[in-house]
Amino acid sequence: MTQLTREEIEAYHRRKGRINSIVLTNVQRGRGTLYGGHALNSHLDPFLDRPTEDFDVYTRESGKKQAQIVEDKLDRAFGGNFFEVRKGQHPGTYRVRSRVTEQEVADFTRQPKNLPSQQNQVMGRRVSVVTIPFIKNRIRKTLRDEKSEFRHAKDRDALRRIAVQEELNKRKKLISGKRISPSHSRADMFSIPFFTKPIKAFRRI
């Protein structure tokens, strides 16, 4: 790896706030669908978010081609050779990596057929993300894979957060009047006990 100068490192950090915008613009223009941490967070209330920095993107074209396109856009925006493309851990996945921080910026993989997706808000932008049922099925498949044991704790946590959100969504429907039980008046729904009832959904995981 070519050694970067102090001036180049400073220039990178002054511009690093542009990374997310450039990656999301590429997704937004119809070239991809987010999965992974950012996609999951887009389905959850903010207090259930788990901080994540890099993007996982399914693309309609080859992962390598899209990674090279994004790398080129980032280098032009930063005014130098600050990024590189590397093969990912899984076949067909390519990563855009910062040469300054040595951290991944985004992973690109050709999307599977009939990928279920919807439009959600991610960092203030409306982009395509995979659905919650797709996320749950993908996580459960990983949990059955002994070779992926290193990420099982993280995946179990994701399923628990999803279960909490699903229970909250049911409560929101009750409050909106779509499924009000005859045994609960609207005043009951805004009472403290109604909101503080323990959420037990994750116990079924």
Side-chain angles (χ1 to χ4, degrees):
M1 180 184 294
T2 305
Q3 188 69 29
L4 294 167
T5 67
R6 185 194 62 76
E7 289 78 11
E8 287 174 322
I9 294 172
E10 178 184 346
Y12 171 89
H13 284 288
R14 287 186 180 278
R15 297 179 175 90
K16 63 186 177 184
R18 303 181 186 181
I19 294 174
N20 292 345
S21 176
I22 292 169
V23 174
L24 287 174
T25 295
N26 195 69
V27 175
Q28 211 170 19
R29 289 176 178 172
R31 295 196 177 106
T33 297
L34 293 181
Y35 66 103
H38 282 292
L40 175 56
N41 284 347
S42 76
H43 290 285
L44 304 177
D45 285 356
F47 78 95
L48 290 170
D49 284 359
R50 183 184 178 116
T52 183
E53 294 186 5
D54 63 316
F55 293 88
D56 299 300
V57 186
Y58 281 132
T59 70
R60 297 178 183 178
E61 302 172 323
S62 75
K64 183 177 182 179
K65 181 177 180 179
Q66 279 304 303
Q68 290 172 336
I69 289 173
V70 171
E71 180 213 8
D72 180 64
K73 288 181 177 179
L74 287 167
D75 279 339
R76 284 191 282 114
F78 279 63
N81 184 22
F82 292 96
F83 300 88
E84 61 186 358
V85 173
R86 291 191 173 189
K87 282 187 177 181
Q89 181 179 356
H90 303 290
T93 297
Y94 288 83
R95 294 177 169 178
V96 177
R97 183 173 180 267
S98 165
R99 296 178 62 242
V100 176
T101 65
E102 301 182 42
Q103 298 296 312
E104 282 73 36
V105 170
D107 289 355
F108 295 88
T109 306
R110 185 184 288 275
Q111 71 182 38
K113 292 182 179 180
N114 303 318
L115 181 69
S117 63
Q118 65 186 71
Q119 295 288 313
N120 277 8
Q121 290 285 335
V122 177
M123 296 183 174
R125 291 173 178 249
R126 197 161 181 80
V127 299
S128 176
V129 303
V130 294
T131 62
I132 280 290
F134 178 88
I135 293 172
K136 289 167 68 174
N137 288 337
R138 188 169 182 269
I139 289 175
R140 285 167 177 157
K141 182 179 179 180
T142 303
L143 288 172
R144 292 192 294 268
D145 182 7
E146 293 181 358
K147 294 180 181 179
S148 300
E149 187 176 0
F150 67 95
R151 60 168 298 129
H152 284 179
K154 180 179 177 181
D155 285 339
R156 285 192 292 268
D157 172 65
L159 284 179
R160 292 179 185 124
R161 288 184 291 126
I162 291 171
V164 171
Q165 185 65 57
E166 289 175 334
E167 181 65 20
L168 289 172
N169 289 345
K170 291 177 184 178
R171 296 185 186 187
K172 290 174 184 177
K173 286 183 179 180
L174 287 171
I175 294 171
S176 69
K178 294 179 181 178
R179 294 176 57 189
I180 297 178
S181 168
S183 62
H184 288 96
S185 68
R186 187 165 295 273
D188 292 333
M189 293 175 188
F190 286 93
S191 67
I192 293 176
F194 184 86
F195 283 104
T196 57
K197 181 181 178 181
I199 294 174
K200 301 179 180 179
F202 68 85
R203 295 181 183 175
R204 296 194 295 271
I205 295 171

